[in-house]
Amino acid sequence: DNMTVSNTDVIQEFKYLTKTFNLTKEEVKSLLLNSINGAFIPANLKQEKIRALFKKIDSFYDTIKS
């Protein structure tokens, strides 16, 4: 839970998940979308985060696949 203690970050964790489970870009996008929708934040902020996800998913996936 504490990234400082475990010496990791979200990028490293998604790299591990993607490699271990051979996740496709659509599967990664679905995981991220589910986490946004499950967040305890106002609906307008969720929509903002979802728009950002759709804009950045290609570059994010390229980063975690490398």
Side-chain angles (χ1 to χ4, degrees), residues 8-29:
T8 191
D9 59 30
V10 172
I11 299 292
Q12 296 304 317
E13 293 297 310
F14 266 94
K15 280 183 178 185
Y16 179 76
L17 281 170
T18 301
K19 182 178 180 182
T20 301
F21 297 106
N22 198 30
L23 298 178
T24 65
K25 181 172 39 175
E26 289 303 312
E27 291 169 322
V28 170
K29 186 165 76 172

Side-chain angles (χ1 to χ4, degrees), residues 29-46:
K29 186 165 76 172
S30 180
L31 286 170
L32 293 168
L33 189 57
N34 287 340
S35 66
I36 293 168
N37 284 323
F40 295 105
I41 57 176
N44 63 328
L45 187 54
K46 285 183 185 185

